[in-house]
Amino acid sequence: MTSFSTAPNPSSNPKLSSSHILSSSTISGDKVVNRQGEDLGDIKDLMIDVDNGRVAYAVLEFGGFLGLGSKLFAVPLSAMELDTENHRFVFDQTKETLESAPGFDKDDWPDFSDRTWGSSVHSHYGVRPYWE
């Protein structure tokens, strides 16, 4: 799997590319599914670790209806793959795993710089923390 598009170029429209550099606006709103094709929500935001110069987490919105009753989840970007053909991300987890993950409310975000919290998130999804 490869990425969707490159960063916008003022002289051309964004198009499909084999580049692995994406603008955050390209990813925001993208659907996330598991390998069975079940809808796991969509990406609402990206959390950037400025000190390390990398995207640490995608913030996934799951559940609810029209944004009501939904919950947010920090998903390590390394736990997902890009599906360029369908313009979405594939997250190899079940709905039940996501539902039992440490989530948060849109008005009460966790401290993403807390390594203890981050380690528990990475552990939940079975991926190694990016800072190790």
Side-chain angles (χ1 to χ4, degrees):
M1 294 186 180
T2 57
S3 66
F4 309 134
S5 68
T6 59
N9 179 339
S11 64
S12 67
N13 291 329
K15 60 183 181 177
L16 294 179
S17 169
S18 61
S19 171
H20 285 84
I21 300 174
L22 301 171
S23 68
S24 60
S25 62
T26 300
I27 295 172
S28 184
D30 281 352
K31 290 290 178 197
V32 178
V33 298
N34 61 19
R35 296 225 184 268
Q36 294 73 39
E38 295 175 304
D39 183 12
L40 297 180
D42 60 288
I43 295 175
K44 288 297 176 195
D45 214 336
L46 297 175
M47 301 309 295
I48 300 168
D49 182 338
V50 178
D51 292 337
N52 288 306
R54 64 182 300 157
V55 175
Y57 303 95
V59 176
L60 177 65
E61 183 176 37
F62 174 72
F65 180 71
L66 299 175
L68 299 174
S70 62
K71 196 171 179 182
L72 300 175
F73 298 89
V75 175
L77 200 58
S78 63
M80 297 191 291
E81 296 175 355
L82 293 168
D83 175 357
T84 57
E85 187 174 321
N86 296 300
H87 197 85
R88 63 188 183 182
F89 281 84
V90 176
F91 183 36
D92 195 15
Q93 301 289 329
T94 64
K95 282 186 174 185
E96 293 76 24
T97 299
L98 187 57
E99 289 169 345
S100 68
F104 55 98
D105 183 73
K106 67 179 181 172
D107 296 322
D108 188 22
W109 288 47
D111 178 1
F112 284 88
S113 65
D114 178 351
R115 296 291 195 226
T116 302
W117 175 85
S119 291
S120 72
V121 169
H122 281 80
S123 176
H124 184 81
Y125 297 120
V127 294
R128 184 181 177 139
Y130 68 91
W131 59 85
E132 289 184 354

